[in-house]
Amino acid sequence: MIAFWVLAPIMVVSAIAMVMARKAVHCALLLAVIMISLAVLYAVQNAPFLFAVQIVVYTGAVLMLFLFVLMLVGVDSSDSLVETLRGQRVTAVVLGLLFGLLVVVAISQATLGSVVGLADASEQAGGNVKGIAALLFSRYVFAFEVTSALLITAALGAMVLAHRERLTPKPTQRDMVTQRMHDYATSGIHPGALPGPGSFARHNSVDTPALLPDGTVSELSISRVMRARGTVRDVSRDRAGEREIETESRQIEEGNT
Amino acid sequence: MSLLYLIVAIPAASAAVLLLGGRLADRWGHLLGAIAPIASFVVGLVAFVQLANGTDEALTQRLFSWIDVGSFHVDFALLFDPLSAVFVLLITGVGSLIHIYSIGYMDHDERRRRFFGYLNLFVAAMLTLVLADDYLAVFLGWEGVGLASYLLIGFWQHKVSAAVAAKKAFVVNRVGDVGMALAIMLMFTTFGSTSFEGVSAGMDQATSGTATALGLLLLLAACGKSAQVPLQSWLLDAMEGPTPVSALIHAATMVTAGVYLVTRSNFIYDQTEVAQTAVVIVGLVTLLWGAVIGCAKDDIKKVLAASTMSQIGYMMLAAGIGPAGYAFAIFHLLTHGFFKANMFLGAGSVMHGMNDEIDMRRYGALRGAMPVTFATFAVGYLAIIGFPGFSGFWSKDKIIEAAFGENLLIGVGALVGAGITAFYMTRLMLMTFISERRWTKEAHPHESSLVMTVPLIVLGALSLLGGVLLFNGWIVDWLEPVVGPEEHAELPIPATMITILVFLVVLVGAAVAFVLYGRDKVASNAPARVSPFTKAARADLYGDALNEVALMRPGQYLTSSLVYADNRGVDGAVNGLAAFVGGTSGSVRRWQSGFVRSYALSMLGGSALLLLAVVAVKLA
Amino acid sequence: MMSQSTVLATVLAAASFDKPTIAYGRLSPLLVVFGIALVGVVVEAFAPRERRYVIQTALALLGLGVSLLAVIGVGLDLKTNNDGASRGSVEAMGAIAVDGPSLFIWGTLLVFSLICVLLFAERHLEGGITAFAGQAAALPGTEAEREASSRGIEHTEVFPLMMFAIGGMMLFASANDLLTMFVALEVLSLPLYLLCGLARRRRLISQESALKYFLLGAFSSAFFLYGIALVYGFAGSFRLGEIDTAVSSTVGGSSLLLAGMALMAVGLLFKVSAAPFHAWTPDVYQGAPTAVTAFMAACTKVAAFGALLRVFYVALGGVRWDWQPMMWVIAALTMAIGSVIAITQTDIKRMLAYSSIAHAGFLITGFVGAQQGIEVAGQQISSLQAVMFYLVAYGFTTIGAFAVVTVVRDAGGETTHLSRWAGLGREAPVVAGVFAFFLLAFAGIPLTSGFTSKWAVFTSAWAGGAWPLVVVAVLMSVVAAFFYVRVIVVMFFSEPVGDGPTVAVPSILTSITITVGAAMTLILGVVPQPVFDLARTAGEFIR
Amino acid sequence: MSTTPFLVLSAMLFGVGAVGVLVRRNAIVVFMCVELMLNAANLAFVTFSRQHGNFDGQIAAFFVMVVAAAEVVVGLAIIMTIFRTRRSASVDDASLLKY
């Protein structure tokens, strides 16, 4: 009883907050609150089996699936709160209130009689789980079997819509090597990795061409775009400076000896 | 007779061959198409002789059971009783002549085979309609002729107006069919049967409310099919079809189905004063309505169509009067079938000779160019205005007599109608054949070929001699088993007086027309924006002030207002309704906004309403 | 101190579990269909790609054929029950009613599915591949999609999905308790949601239709479920028979029951696309692949009406006076909305969708009459029989009509805009003629099945006292005639726009579908007797 | 304790869920709201089960969970597909089909 009066306001508030929250991920978390509270209410109402299932299946599996998809879509995605359909929100709230009111009236008008409670049934069946099992595998066995069709459909559907089959076999490393050598043979495309840009004491950036062992500039080390823009660093002066240093140092060495 | 089914089967089979045969059948299709109704006619004639000589009241043949659910049972059976017999002979006889005529008329049309296929389909459906012994089977034929008529009106697909007219005919007819469908359901739930026999047997116990409802619903159906006010608007437009179609369907046969229905349902109408009165009123209004419209049209076929409407009004009037009128309704239906088919075919012959010109203001003095057409048309003309001795004289005279017997006012109405008929038919005659030539140089009027003129001559002869059916009261005796014995009402004036009166009124009508159109020029272009009557009045009658005030103004006013009503009022009601439905559709479909949330909203709204409904019921 | 085994024994005794008895023979039609669906899934997993199409098609046809034979076998075996009005028994521990109407609906569903499988399997129109997406996961308009297309890849998973849907439909119409019915509802819906999104062409609208169908379908099944909950709250059981007992032992019906009934009606009426729960129909019918649309239009309607009739006649027959007024309004509204909005439609598939809504209205008109076999005492046809006959007649016509839609094409695939159909009568007189025939059947012209079926439901409704509704229905069928004729006028009397439509020559498969549709439309109009007899033999629902 | 408070709570949750379906644009959130409605129904089932003293209601709730799991898979697959095509999960953006 206390559990109900504690949880009921939390659930209603969570539900309303869920409808109003901007971020989808907040909605999911609020839904989790409701679901776990529901599980407790199930426990309160002599349904321990459902208590477990609600937490394991609903909160644990279903809601996690939601979160997965939310992550795929983008966790940060949030709804704009401006309503675009004219009158939609007002009408929806009015109709929702009317609807809820009518259901509540119907429920409160009903003469339900005294609550039978599940104690007898449980005792008779030898426990809640046993009772459910006995019913599930006798009275509702066909429906139970048919749910397998449902699960298979779901799996099939997920496969059809989400699984992209490879139409061509994935190339192995060997295939790639063969292809590269083939390209080199037929069109002279460089088979290996391209040389990186040059790195010098003073410059270490992509606009500096690498130097080949003979001191010439490697054309392959600079992207064509930069060349077209003319932003390639001219390394000839640097090289001239270097040569000076080289000469000097050689002279020093020679002088010293 | 076990071969009764052949009457329907032959044209049906022929239609199937022609429509499914493809190009193979192009060469001989029209011949097969023309032979089919002739063969039917022969079978019908044999059956007729058998019926006339036998002691049985009717020949029947049960073909198969169509629907058989519990005690409800619809056989597909044929009933060849005196009433059906007359119709079978009319349909196949006149139909055959029109088929033969069509061979010539449609000679140049490359889709002639298809045309004959549709014609045969129509004949088969019409024969189903009159041979059925069950309202449900009648309904089958009823829809069948509607469909065939739709196909034939729209036969010239290239004309947009034809397509529009076909659609209009179909839809207006469907409105009438609502009446028929509801009547059949009412019969079924009241009597548990829809056969003529079952309903007729059940009528004795039926309440007058049921009888009235049935009568009014059937009248609605009859109005649709027979182009009676307020569902008349489609008939004039239907003239867009080829002329043989107008002759066969929109003059001689299909449009008379309403009269057939009312006469056939005599056991219903005999139980209900209200419905009978309604039939009489519809008939009277239509006969005047059609007649007045006939005065204002320049299109030769439309004049004839308006006149058809008006003549069917006479038949409805007679049928509504009850036992005193049934036989004459059918009699007039027969003679009208002869002379109207004759005149339509004559009009077709004229159009054929005039390069499909339909405006009478472009005719004139055609009597020399087409002597045979002129002669046969003249016979038809004399018949329709009721010139003594011609077939129409006998039949119309009897109806007017019966109308006087019913009520003085109705009699006067019918009498006035006869006068107006004489007026517009004389006008047509004068403008087409007599007055000076107004056709252009390109037209080379010439007489049609033999295949077209022979049917005209035969029909002309029938128009002349159709009156013999009344000889010795034969038609009345013949139909007695179906419609019951004729009743004679007290006439306010002696019958001979009525005959003379009718003749005088007819003469006056013809004379007025002669005065207006016979002496002077007819404008070869209808003046725009002013009714043709006005123009004629302006041209001819300025001097005659008295005449103008006393006759022309009211006449003019009546004509133009009626034409207005026809174009805008009634037609407008149909069009307006269509526009209204269309407009509603256009705005309502905006609700389907494409937003899934709006759909969900409507669902929530719907469920809230459902809940509200049941909870309110519960709490109240 | 008791030993452990004694405790166990006591507990077991307390549980007293009875092994369920299941009459596999009686349920064989259902089991075959589900079994074939499972085999189909296995085939997808193991058979080489190029063989799958043939195997799946053959499997589907075979399975449906065997199932149909099983239906006939079970049908011959059914005995009339003590009440004299129904025949059959309740099977699977009370979950499924194998009675006359169930078998009739099963048979109908299977026949429709058979000719729909042919439409699914049509490969001629797209140049050697089916009309389903090659790679649903590939984005529309990308290289991957083109590659899948050019390699002739196709999703043969549609066949097992379809089989699952058929199984769900069969179960839906024969479920004897609300819980099984709910599960069946989902079993039939989920594959349909998926199938809607799998069109090869115009994938954007196809996916959109799947999304809309799914969201609204889930929404409506939530209502259905809540309704079930309330009815359970009232009766304490899900069994239709036990609900009926509870209803008849309560005077005047409880508010809980009525509210539950209204909410259940929402779910069922959604599936039959009755107003105001119809909004999904035009969008989904237009967007889905046409073969799927044909399948949905015929089979879903049959199954949903089967369930609707069963719930309302068997479980809620006792509160008929409470639901009839509500259904009156729904019927009138549905007919009006369907017929009126159809007038201004410019897309053939959309127009047919609205026509399907209008027909749902006519069917509800028959349903409202609620004339039961016992009451009419062999006099006339009962409402149930009339509605079942209508479903058969309408199904054939609508499958045929959609099949025709698949063959009228231009460069971009099917061409469904009405203006593109102008002049079809000259281009392809046979196809246009057949389509015109279907339209006339929809309009209810005699000698077509549309006439006999309309006649049957209207008279049974009239006999049930719903004559004002019949008047509305007849008026609405006039309005409906207007737009059917409009299409005929466009096809035969209008000048073609541009180079006009072309009619692709379909393979034998689609040709069979169209031929069967047209033939049955004619046969049911001329000699409806055998089907009427069958419906009468089926009798009433078992209670 | 009486069952009525539980039922009222379930009706409220159901109503809030229904409103959520109507006002939210993100398809995933819309779908979460549907799940909330199903949960509300489950609460009603469990409560009525206690009311009537039989396990049928609890079985129903169990079935609903299974069904919901399958439905979620299919639904999220469809939503993902349409998201990948349109780069948007807003239900309002999917409105090509109309009138």
Side-chain angles (χ1 to χ4, degrees):
Chain A
M1 199 59 219
I2 297 165
F4 177 82
W5 291 116
V6 172
L7 288 177
I10 295 178
M11 286 164 76
V12 173
V13 169
S14 305
I16 293 172
M18 174 189 151
V19 169
M20 290 173 39
R22 272 188 73 186
K23 288 198 173 179
V25 85
H26 294 167
C27 296
L29 294 176
L30 287 164
L31 188 59
V33 171
I34 300 171
M35 285 179 171
I36 293 173
S37 313
L38 267 178
V40 176
L41 289 189
Y42 293 165
V44 168
Q45 298 202 72
N46 312 18
F49 177 63
L50 286 179
F51 164 75
V53 176
Q54 172 81 6
I55 288 182
V56 174
V57 176
Y58 235 129
T59 324
V62 173
L63 208 62
M64 287 312 117
L65 201 56
F66 270 108
L67 283 173
F68 265 123
V69 173
L70 276 178
M71 279 188 243
L72 285 173
V73 171
V75 182
D76 286 339
S77 74
S78 54
D79 267 7
S80 151
L81 285 179
V82 182
E83 178 60 64
T84 43
L85 305 183
R86 197 155 48 89
Q88 171 87 6
R89 198 169 285 175
V90 177
T91 328
V93 171
V94 169
L95 280 180
L97 283 177
L98 177 69
F99 182 87
L101 192 71
L102 285 167
V103 176
V104 169
V105 166
I107 289 169
S108 54
Q109 283 291 315
T111 42
L112 286 168
S114 60
V115 179
V116 176
L118 284 161
D120 285 354
S122 289
E123 198 181 326
Q124 219 170 23
N128 175 273
V129 178
K130 282 223 169 72
I132 286 179
L135 262 184
L136 189 61
F137 293 113
S138 62
R139 232 180 164 182
Y140 298 104
V141 69
F142 202 88
F144 178 75
E145 295 294 341
V146 168
T147 47
S148 64
L150 212 55
L151 296 171
I152 295 170
T153 308
L156 203 57
M159 293 283 279
V160 168
L161 289 183
H163 173 65
R164 200 152 105 217
E165 220 169 324
R166 275 209 158 274
L167 300 174
T168 43
K170 189 174 179 189
T172 59
Q173 233 168 25
R174 178 159 196 93
D175 293 337
M176 286 193 267
V177 169
T178 321
Q179 180 67 33
R180 260 188 218 156
M181 295 316 289
H182 178 78
D183 289 346
Y184 179 59
T186 50
S187 50
I189 294 169
H190 195 273
L194 293 176
S199 64
F200 299 91
R202 273 175 286 180
H203 312 286
N204 189 6
S205 68
V206 287
D207 62 352
T208 315
L211 296 179
L212 293 173
D214 61 349
T216 53
V217 167
S218 164
E219 296 294 325
L220 292 170
S221 64
I222 289 293
S223 88
R224 278 182 292 124
V225 179
M226 298 188 87
R227 178 142 317 156
R229 285 190 192 149
T231 50
V232 179
R233 184 176 293 275
D234 181 14
V235 292
S236 55
R237 283 186 54 197
D238 297 349
R239 290 190 56 223
E242 273 168 23
R243 227 172 281 140
E244 247 170 62
I245 296 168
E246 253 173 51
T247 325
E248 271 175 28
S249 56
R250 206 179 298 137
Q251 281 168 352
I252 293 166
E253 272 174 23
E254 281 168 0
N256 283 350
T257 46
Chain B
M1 188 177 88
S2 60
L3 292 179
L4 216 49
Y5 73 92
L6 282 178
I7 298 179
V8 180
I10 294 172
S14 165
V17 170
L18 291 177
L19 292 178
L20 303 177
R23 306 231 152 74
L24 279 175
D26 268 351
R27 199 131 25 108
W28 41 266
H30 51 284
L31 296 178
L32 176 68
I35 289 168
I38 299 176
S40 266
F41 178 70
V42 172
V43 180
L45 206 58
V46 173
F48 177 77
V49 170
Q50 206 174 343
L51 182 67
N53 293 337
T55 50
D56 291 339
E57 274 194 359
L59 308 175
T60 53
Q61 182 177 18
R62 193 177 160 281
L63 295 180
F64 65 96
S65 74
W66 188 17
I67 299 169
D68 181 13
V69 184
S71 69
F72 180 68
H73 190 84
V74 181
D75 275 344
F76 204 87
L78 300 178
L79 171 74
F80 193 84
D81 69 353
L83 182 60
S84 307
V86 168
F87 268 90
V88 167
L89 292 183
L90 174 74
I91 294 160
T92 53
V94 174
S96 300
L97 292 171
I98 293 172
H99 275 72
I100 294 171
Y101 174 94
S102 306
I103 296 178
Y105 190 83
M106 300 298 284
D107 197 23
H108 306 300
D109 200 304
E110 56 186 19
R111 292 163 68 239
R112 181 164 66 166
R113 170 183 58 83
R114 190 175 286 262
F115 179 75
F116 273 89
Y118 292 157
L119 272 190
N120 281 341
L121 183 68
F122 168 77
V123 169
M126 188 70 203
L127 288 169
T128 311
L129 197 165
V130 297
L131 280 172
D133 82 329
D134 186 294
Y135 280 101
L136 206 57
V138 169
F139 191 57
L140 168 64
W142 192 264
E143 293 280 342
V145 292
L147 186 64
S149 156
Y150 168 74
L151 292 170
L152 284 165
I153 295 172
F155 184 74
W156 281 324
Q157 303 171 350
H158 50 87
K159 282 161 71 180
V160 176
S161 54
V164 172
K167 192 165 85 175
K168 184 172 181 184
F170 190 82
V171 172
V172 174
N173 265 297
R174 290 290 297 181
V175 175
D177 296 343
V178 170
M180 185 91 174
L182 291 178
I184 293 175
M185 276 173 221
L186 183 56
M187 285 171 197
F188 170 62
T189 45
T190 320
F191 311 122
S193 163
T194 60
S195 69
F196 296 151
E197 208 180 344
V199 175
S200 146
M203 278 315 291
D204 299 338
Q205 284 90 43
T207 60
S208 67
T210 310
T212 306
L214 279 178
L216 291 178
L217 287 170
L218 290 176
L219 175 63
L220 179 63
C223 284
K225 198 61 77 187
S226 288
Q228 300 292 293
V229 176
L231 297 179
Q232 84 292 15
S233 63
W234 63 273
L235 186 61
L236 292 186
D237 293 7
M239 294 302 130
E240 290 293 340
T243 306
V245 173
S246 312
L248 178 62
I249 300 185
H250 306 118
T253 56
M254 184 184 87
V255 287
T256 58
V259 181
Y260 171 78
L261 187 68
V262 174
T263 313
R264 177 56 87 188
S265 312
N266 57 69
F267 42 81
I268 294 174
Y269 284 98
D270 288 347
Q271 308 280 331
T272 160
E273 282 282 324
V274 181
Q276 270 190 329
T277 313
V279 176
V280 169
I281 290 170
V282 164
L284 187 65
V285 170
T286 310
L287 86 86
L288 292 171
W289 189 289
V292 174
I293 286 175
C295 300
K297 294 287 177 187
D298 287 333
D299 175 336
I300 185 166
K301 282 177 74 181
K302 294 209 166 164
V303 176
L304 290 175
S307 127
T308 301
M309 207 192 268
S310 161
Q311 296 300 314
I312 294 173
Y314 273 109
M315 301 170 207
M316 289 296 271
L317 171 65
I321 287 171
Y326 288 134
F328 302 124
I330 299 300
F331 180 38
H332 192 56
L333 191 154
L334 289 174
T335 57
H336 173 257
F338 299 146
F339 61 68
K340 189 51 70 60
N342 174 17
M343 283 192 287
F344 259 116
L345 294 187
S349 176
V350 169
M351 286 158 57
H352 203 67
M354 295 288 294
N355 291 343
D356 290 332
E357 177 61 63
I358 46 167
D359 192 344
M360 295 195 295
R361 293 179 183 276
R362 305 287 171 88
Y363 294 163
L366 289 174
R367 63 180 182 280
M370 332 182 146
V372 181
T373 307
F374 169 63
T376 54
F377 204 101
V379 175
Y381 159 70
L382 291 173
I384 194 176
I385 64 169
F387 196 80
F390 288 79
S391 59
F393 167 76
W394 305 105
S395 52
K396 196 188 280 180
D397 187 55
K398 279 291 182 190
I399 292 181
I400 295 174
E401 201 177 289
F404 270 108
E406 175 82 2
N407 183 314
L408 189 64
L409 208 63
I410 295 170
V412 171
L415 189 63
V416 171
I420 305 178
T421 306
F423 171 77
Y424 69 75
M425 284 312 297
T426 312
R427 170 173 176 264
L428 186 155
M429 256 335 252
L430 292 172
M431 285 175 81
T432 306
F433 292 106
I434 312 290
S435 56
E436 87 289 2
R437 64 170 272 188
R438 292 181 299 278
W439 16 283
T440 48
K441 291 186 187 65
E442 297 88 58
H444 300 289
H446 55 83
E447 188 54 271
S448 305
S449 61
L450 216 56
V451 74
M452 287 168 72
T453 47
V454 169
L456 284 179
I457 294 167
V458 177
L459 283 170
L462 285 170
S463 318
L464 179 61
L465 303 173
V468 297
L469 294 179
L470 195 64
F471 183 68
N472 224 350
W474 178 82
I475 185 91
V476 177
D477 294 341
W478 174 253
L479 289 175
E480 197 186 305
V482 182
V483 299
E486 188 199 355
E487 286 170 7
H488 286 285
E490 280 294 306
L491 291 180
I493 10 177
T496 339
M497 276 300 290
I498 294 177
T499 309
I500 295 169
L501 206 59
V502 172
F503 186 57
L504 285 176
V505 169
V506 165
L507 279 186
V508 168
V512 171
F514 192 76
V515 167
L516 292 181
Y517 297 96
R519 292 183 317 193
D520 282 319
K521 281 194 154 196
V522 179
S524 61
N525 282 314
R529 299 205 155 269
V530 188
S531 90
F533 216 132
T534 316
K535 179 69 183 174
R538 265 192 220 141
D540 301 328
L541 293 169
Y542 273 157
D544 204 339
L546 178 75
N547 203 348
E548 181 170 327
V549 172
L551 281 171
M552 294 316 301
R553 286 283 179 206
Q556 215 175 312
Y557 192 73
L558 180 68
T559 316
S560 51
S561 62
L562 248 180
V563 169
Y564 183 83
D566 202 55
N567 288 343
R568 297 286 163 73
V570 180
D571 215 14
V574 173
N575 291 340
L577 203 63
F580 170 73
V581 174
T584 316
S585 173
S587 51
V588 171
R589 81 190 264 237
R590 293 279 145 190
W591 294 348
Q592 190 80 13
S593 58
F595 295 113
V596 76
R597 293 191 294 139
S598 310
Y599 302 171
L601 186 69
S602 71
M603 283 174 62
L604 181 65
S607 22
L609 282 183
L610 285 191
L611 268 183
L612 189 64
V614 291
V615 172
V617 164
K618 178 66 196 159
L619 295 182
Chain C
M1 183 178 158
M2 278 194 286
S3 73
Q4 213 172 355
S5 59
T6 332
V7 175
L8 198 62
T10 332
V11 169
L12 276 180
S16 72
F17 177 71
D18 299 321
K19 185 170 169 289
T21 49
I22 296 197
Y24 290 101
R26 281 279 163 98
L27 298 175
S28 54
L30 264 177
L31 299 176
V32 168
V33 170
F34 279 123
I36 290 289
L38 294 177
V39 175
V41 175
V42 174
V43 168
E44 277 307 314
F46 295 109
R49 182 187 293 288
E50 59 277 7
R51 300 238 188 96
R52 284 185 208 162
Y53 165 79
V54 176
I55 299 177
Q56 292 285 19
T57 313
L59 261 183
L61 289 173
L62 181 79
L64 292 171
V66 170
S67 178
L68 190 60
L69 288 180
V71 167
I72 295 170
V74 175
L76 293 176
D77 191 39
L78 285 193
K79 302 279 179 298
T80 307
N81 288 326
N82 293 335
D83 61 0
S86 68
R87 49 177 63 224
S89 54
V90 176
E91 299 296 344
M93 307 298 289
I96 299 173
V98 186
D99 55 6
S102 286
L103 286 172
F104 187 92
I105 286 170
W106 287 1
T108 311
L109 281 171
L110 289 168
V111 173
F112 289 170
S113 310
L114 268 173
I115 57 176
C116 281
V117 168
L118 300 179
L119 278 186
F120 273 56
E122 172 66 56
R123 278 172 126 181
H124 212 268
L125 295 169
E126 290 279 359
I129 32 182
T130 55
F132 294 98
Q135 277 254 21
L139 296 185
T142 57
E143 188 55 46
E145 191 197 25
R146 270 190 293 282
E147 190 187 353
S149 260
S150 62
R151 282 169 165 267
I153 309 287
E154 51 201 356
H155 270 306
T156 40
E157 288 93 341
V158 295
F159 291 100
L161 284 177
M162 182 193 187
M163 297 302 279
F164 278 125
I166 297 165
M169 288 168 182
M170 290 168 68
L171 186 61
F172 191 44
S174 59
N176 194 43
D177 69 57
L178 294 175
L179 200 49
T180 310
M181 197 174 265
F182 173 70
V183 174
L185 173 71
E186 294 295 328
V187 174
L188 86 88
S189 303
L190 292 189
L192 286 179
Y193 301 150
L194 291 165
L195 287 171
C196 282
L198 291 180
R200 183 177 287 277
R201 310 250 191 177
R202 304 208 180 95
R203 290 188 47 203
L204 237 55
I205 62 168
S206 173
Q207 292 177 351
E208 181 181 325
S209 77
L211 180 70
K212 284 181 171 170
Y213 194 18
F214 168 72
L215 287 177
L216 294 174
F219 192 53
S220 84
S221 58
F223 281 100
F224 185 62
L225 191 69
Y226 207 78
I228 291 178
L230 294 184
V231 170
Y232 168 67
F234 164 76
S237 169
F238 292 113
R239 288 271 186 279
L240 299 184
E242 286 168 25
I243 295 169
D244 180 45
T245 317
V247 165
S248 45
S249 61
T250 317
V251 184
S254 143
S255 60
L256 211 52
L257 171 75
L258 294 180
M261 178 185 84
L263 292 185
M264 271 175 30
V266 173
L268 293 166
L269 292 173
F270 174 84
K271 278 287 167 212
V272 305
S273 52
F277 314 106
H278 68 283
W280 62 277
T281 317
D283 290 10
V284 174
Y285 278 23
Q286 188 186 352
T290 308
V292 176
T293 310
F295 177 58
M296 283 196 293
C299 296
T300 311
K301 201 149 261 176
V302 172
F305 264 102
L308 182 75
L309 289 163
R310 190 176 289 279
V311 169
F312 277 81
Y313 282 7
V314 176
L316 302 171
V319 281
R320 195 193 298 171
W321 308 119
D322 288 313
W323 57 256
Q324 263 174 338
M326 151 181 126
M327 287 297 175
W328 273 52
V329 177
I330 298 242
L333 194 65
T334 307
M335 290 185 284
I337 284 192
S339 307
V340 170
I341 302 190
I343 288 179
T344 42
Q345 291 306 312
T346 49
D347 185 281
I348 295 275
K349 276 169 89 177
R350 229 176 150 72
M351 192 211 80
L352 287 176
Y354 278 108
S355 141
S356 140
I357 296 171
H359 282 278
F362 297 140
L363 278 159
I364 299 175
T365 305
F367 154 70
V368 170
Q371 281 278 305
Q372 305 204 356
I374 312 165
E375 293 161 26
V376 294
Q379 271 273 324
Q380 303 146 5
I381 42 174
S382 72
S383 298
L384 173 62
Q385 291 150 9
V387 170
M388 288 198 302
F389 181 82
Y390 199 114
L391 288 169
V392 174
Y394 172 72
F396 279 114
T397 315
T398 198
I399 292 177
F402 279 113
V404 172
V405 172
T406 63
V407 303
V408 180
R409 312 175 73 87
D410 60 14
E414 287 163 16
T415 171
T416 53
H417 199 274
L418 193 55
S419 67
R420 301 284 297 150
W421 283 51
L424 191 68
R426 253 166 281 176
E427 196 71 36
V430 176
V431 170
V434 169
F435 196 68
F437 179 64
F438 288 134
L439 292 175
L440 291 176
F442 283 136
I445 302 292
L447 280 195
T448 63
S449 59
F451 171 73
T452 31
S453 52
K454 273 213 180 69
W455 181 84
V457 291
F458 290 174
T459 43
S460 76
W462 192 307
W467 67 267
L469 202 53
V470 175
V471 173
V472 174
V474 175
L475 283 175
M476 280 308 151
S477 57
V478 172
V479 174
F482 185 80
F483 64 79
Y484 296 128
V485 171
R486 180 166 152 254
V487 177
I488 298 181
V489 168
V490 166
M491 286 196 301
F492 286 96
F493 302 131
S494 299
E495 289 300 323
V497 181
D499 49 354
T502 51
V503 170
V505 181
S507 71
I508 185 80
L509 301 171
T510 303
S511 312
I512 290 178
T513 309
I514 297 177
T515 314
V516 170
M520 290 307 292
T521 304
L522 182 66
I523 289 171
L524 290 178
V526 182
V527 273
Q529 196 53 45
V531 179
F532 269 128
D533 280 343
L534 204 60
R536 277 174 63 76
T537 318
E540 295 298 318
F541 288 120
I542 193 168
R543 284 171 172 275
Chain D
M1 95 179 253
S2 154
T3 50
T4 312
F6 287 93
L7 296 174
V8 171
L9 172 65
S10 110
M12 284 166 78
L13 290 180
F14 191 87
V16 173
V19 173
V21 172
L22 303 185
V23 300
R24 294 308 299 257
R25 254 171 291 173
N26 186 331
I28 302 172
V29 179
V30 168
F31 193 28
M32 282 186 213
C33 293
V34 173
E35 291 300 318
L36 178 61
M37 293 165 76
L38 294 184
N39 272 291
N42 271 359
L43 179 59
F45 275 122
V46 174
T47 309
F48 281 128
S49 175
R50 184 164 67 92
Q51 170 79 42
H52 291 291
N54 60 27
F55 286 120
D56 295 61
Q58 294 196 5
I59 299 256
F62 177 60
F63 271 119
V64 172
M65 289 178 193
V66 178
V67 166
E71 202 174 58
V72 166
V73 173
V74 170
L76 291 180
I78 292 175
I79 293 173
M80 274 311 296
T81 315
I82 208 154
F83 173 76
R84 287 208 318 227
T85 312
R86 294 172 174 269
R87 305 311 302 173
S88 149
S90 162
V91 289
D92 284 4
D93 288 349
S95 58
L96 286 175
L97 293 161
K98 56 186 161 191
Y99 307 134

